[in-house]
Amino acid sequence: MESGTAATGNDVSEAANGAAPAGEPPIEVLNPATGQPIAKVPVDSPAAVAATVARVRANQADWEAMGIEGRYHWLGKLRDWLLDNSDRVLDTMQLETGKVRADASNEPAYLADLINFYGTKAAKFIGEESVRPHSPLMAAKKLRVQYRPHQVVGIISPWNFPLILALGDAIPALQAGAAVVIKPSEFTPLGLAEVVEAWKREIGGPDVLDCVQGTGETGGALVDAVDFIQFTGSDRTGRKVMARAAETLTPVSLELGGKDPMIVLADADIDRAANAAAWGGMMNSGQICMSVERIYVEEPAYDEFVAKLTQEVAGLRQGSDDARSPKDVGAMTSPKQTAIVEDHVNDALASGARALTGGKRVDGPGDYFEPTVLVDVDHSMKVMRDETFGPVVGVMRARDEEEALRLANDSRYGLSGSVFGEKDHAEQIARRVECGAVNVNDVLANYLASDVPMGGWKESGIGYRHGEPGIKKYCRTESVVITRFGGKREPTWYPYTRGRRGLIARLVPFFNARDLKRRLGLRG
Ligand code: NAD
């Protein structure tokens, strides 16, 4: 742990070459667009995980000592590599996720921007702070706060954005001075491994960034070995990660699921709202924690909105895409998730909902679910209550804005949301949505505004990504109290003579504001 000591030689030799324990089969990675296997990835044993963490831990102090500018220099090289090699990385990611190119292409660009953001803002966010003492009793002291990184940050990430949700957290951690070990999802281990390999071999970056491969067991071993855990995934797994971290009192930041509502007010631009709902619900096949999943439309706008949304969604082109025949909606990345989507839609249809377009799995090859618009839904149905994480939206009629707001807030999740309407009116309603980030007349836009924090309320998470909290969370604060002048002894030190005791007894009330007010004859 964070004692500054590396693991023992035994730990390292046991885990030589990161070999899997006997009987642990390698991960077989499939291309979800075709169902064909594309790679086998060896699993890292718990001992191998501990050894990797110990190795980067041993290099962390030098990395921290480089300072903010020195670390930005290296992260800048990573940014340039990502931009120069984005086609190569996107090819790998498309293969393992089944995304369409347009959905995949956001990832390197987002990361490049994030490197610049934290590289240029880190001094402001985590630079040393000078604090003026509030009490005259501290007048002889200089007060400073310095931000020291956790030594090793472990990142456990999901499959829906294999780079953004892994490197996007690694970037602020590295910029803060931590070493980082990432465990990507077992469904999408390849793209991240390619970038980490490039950091080591092509960029020649310091040995403070690595990844380990495997399923939940590997993730658990990472929780045990590191000093801070950044987890992104389902709330079910998030609970397990937090419980395991509690055993070693390791701090966690959890970015969990969502069931994001969209409110459409009667005074909205209905074309914009319908187009936004289609994109916000279907982008990345709806496999985004902040996807639009539930839509509440004020009565006067309902019919027009539903007609326009259905038309837009029905016109989306689905399938495996390439440069010659671009598509709008790609495959489902995890077969487990397709089964959940199917279950939610069937549950709704069986309870009286109607699919105005879509509504079922697409026959293979590949793993696809039709872009689906459901109406006649209510909050007794899974599709309006639990996270669907697929290309499905449920639309409900709301009597008025208060009912729309009440329904939007009727969820155990609180990740993000959106409100469409006349600008000032929509903003007023948006401020009352119970979630960590809300967009007015747009969807998903907040994720690109890395200037502002984003973190889930309720069961959507603990902690923040982006903005100042997104880098500060990787640091421990150390307050440094410096004596500017003083004699051989402070008045509070030994010996406790009657005179010294009396001095303190008089000084404390003198500087106590309540007492001053009393002596000046003021109330309160
Ligand atoms: P998941 O919870 O199944 O898995 C996430 C990661 O945890 C994977 O790497 C997995 O191998 C690992 N894991 C599984 N069991 C573990 C254990 N016991 N200990 C440690 N690690 C373990 O999630 P998923 O299916 O990969 O991703 C989809 C979920 O992620 C959705 O709920 C989605 O909303 C959420 N998500 C949240 C955000 C956010 O920022 N809030 C972003 C993207 C995805």
Side-chain angles (χ1 to χ4, degrees):
M1 298 302 294
E2 214 148 34
S3 58
T5 53
T8 63
N10 276 350
D11 287 339
V12 176
S13 57
E14 239 182 76
N17 304 324
E24 182 90 13
I27 301 165
E28 186 166 56
V29 187
L30 303 178
N31 177 351
T34 62
Q36 294 302 309
I38 47 175
K40 284 192 175 175
V41 176
V43 168
D44 284 294
S45 67
V49 172
T52 301
V53 170
R55 204 192 70 238
V56 299
R57 185 187 294 286
N59 300 322
Q60 183 272 335
D62 288 345
W63 176 246
E64 184 182 349
M66 276 184 197
I68 285 171
E69 279 307 315
R71 297 191 292 271
Y72 184 28
H73 165 79
W74 282 107
L75 289 167
K77 287 178 184 275
L78 175 62
R79 174 201 56 216
D80 296 346
W81 186 92
L82 283 165
L83 295 176
D84 292 345
N85 294 276
S86 61
D87 276 338
R88 174 176 148 194
V89 174
L90 291 177
D91 286 346
T92 309
M93 260 197 332
Q94 245 191 312
L95 266 184
E96 65 181 349
T97 59
K99 286 172 195 258
V100 294
R101 192 68 161 196
D103 288 349
S105 61
N106 297 319
E107 301 216 26
Y110 165 87
L111 294 170
D113 180 66
L114 198 71
I115 288 173
N116 285 346
F117 174 69
Y118 278 118
T120 52
K121 297 282 183 188
K124 176 168 175 248
F125 292 158
I126 58 168
E128 180 156 319
E129 284 169 17
S130 197
V131 180
R132 186 194 287 267
H134 81 286
S135 163
L137 285 173
M138 283 281 135
K141 309 290 185 198
K142 273 199 300 195
L143 305 184
R144 299 276 189 269
V145 182
Q146 66 166 341
Y147 295 91
R148 297 280 313 277
H150 289 285
Q151 288 180 342
V152 186
V153 169
I155 294 173
I156 300 177
S157 58
W159 42 259
N160 57 329
F161 286 95
L163 294 191
I164 286 181
L165 297 172
L167 288 171
D169 290 312
I171 286 162
L174 288 165
Q175 185 62 73
V180 171
V181 177
I182 305 170
K183 192 205 86 63
S185 167
E186 57 273 32
F187 293 105
T188 53
L190 304 178
L192 178 77
E194 194 169 336
V195 179
V196 169
E197 201 53 24
W199 169 266
K200 294 179 187 175
R201 316 264 173 248
E202 294 177 45
I203 299 169
D207 187 16
V208 289
L209 171 66
D210 210 340
C211 62
V212 290
Q213 301 287 3
T215 58
E217 192 189 4
T218 310
L222 188 63
V223 175
D224 291 345
V226 297
D227 310 309
F228 184 97
I229 272 288
Q230 166 62 51
F231 172 82
T232 306
S234 62
D235 55 295
R236 217 176 106 253
T237 311
R239 284 169 220 272
K240 290 187 196 161
V241 166
M242 193 168 176
R244 183 136 180 182
E247 287 170 24
T248 46
L249 291 178
T250 301
V252 296
S253 178
L254 307 175
E255 298 285 346
L256 309 177
K259 188 73 193 168
D260 284 8
M262 171 172 172
I263 294 176
V264 182
L265 300 168
D267 55 14
D269 174 338
I270 301 301
D271 287 300
R272 183 173 173 86
N275 293 336
W279 184 70
M282 308 300 153
M283 195 249 176
N284 209 43
S285 297
Q287 304 166 113
I288 310 181
C289 51
M290 307 178 326
S291 290
V292 174
E293 296 213 356
R294 305 176 284 143
I295 306 174
Y296 306 99
V297 190
E298 258 194 299
E299 180 73 53
Y302 180 84
D303 289 338
E304 184 187 351
F305 174 83
V306 168
K308 287 183 168 163
L309 170 65
T310 306
Q311 189 185 16
E312 178 78 7
V313 172
L316 296 175
R317 300 157 301 172
Q318 187 174 38
S320 168
D321 86 336
D322 55 41
R324 280 186 318 251
S325 61
K327 298 282 193 312
D328 302 307
V329 182
M332 296 296 295
T333 300
S334 144
K336 216 173 58 180
Q337 200 63 43
T338 319
I340 295 171
V341 175
E342 190 167 39
D343 175 50
H344 284 196
V345 172
N346 288 343
D347 170 73
L349 295 175
S351 307
R354 285 181 298 133
L356 297 184
T357 183
K360 57 182 192 314
R361 258 181 209 261
V362 180
D363 289 338
D367 198 5
Y368 292 89
F369 199 94
E370 292 175 348
T372 299
V373 176
L374 295 174
V375 292
D376 299 342
V377 289
D378 63 45
H379 280 206
S380 71
M381 300 172 187
K382 292 180 194 175
V383 80
M384 297 302 277
R385 234 180 29 230
D386 300 333
E387 185 178 42
T388 306
F389 217 62
V392 178
V393 289
V395 193
M396 270 179 84
R397 203 185 285 270
R399 230 182 3 257
D400 53 28
E401 65 189 39
E402 289 303 321
E403 186 179 59
L405 195 54
R406 183 182 61 72
L407 289 165
N409 288 338
D410 176 28
S411 174
R412 67 188 177 94
Y413 292 112
L415 193 58
S416 69
S418 54
V419 180
F420 284 74
E422 184 280 321
K423 192 164 58 65
D424 295 338
H425 181 199
E427 184 184 335
Q428 279 172 16
I429 299 295
R431 289 172 184 275
R432 295 168 62 199
V433 179
E434 290 168 6
C435 63
V438 61
N439 294 289
V440 175
N441 290 329
D442 206 343
V443 286
L444 307 177
N446 64 290
Y447 208 84
L448 296 179
S450 41
D451 316 72
V452 288
M454 129 130 224
W457 289 18
K458 303 193 242 182
E459 294 179 32
S460 287
I462 293 175
Y464 299 92
R465 167 180 278 153
H466 293 161
E468 185 168 328
I471 186 167
K472 237 174 192 160
K473 72 180 176 185
Y474 294 119
C475 297
R476 301 161 292 172
T477 59
E478 184 173 23
S479 299
V480 186
V481 179
I482 305 148
T483 303
R484 293 195 294 174
F485 47 83
K488 300 282 183 208
R489 291 172 201 272
E490 291 289 326
T492 47
W493 297 356
Y494 294 135
Y496 288 161
T497 61
R498 188 181 296 180
R500 281 163 174 269
R501 220 173 52 198
L503 178 66
I504 297 297
R506 282 191 303 279
L507 278 179
V508 171
F510 181 78
F511 289 123
N512 177 296
R514 194 162 136 252
D515 197 52
L516 271 181
K517 280 186 183 169
R518 186 184 57 74
R519 277 185 278 119
L520 293 172
L522 301 172
R523 296 177 64 194

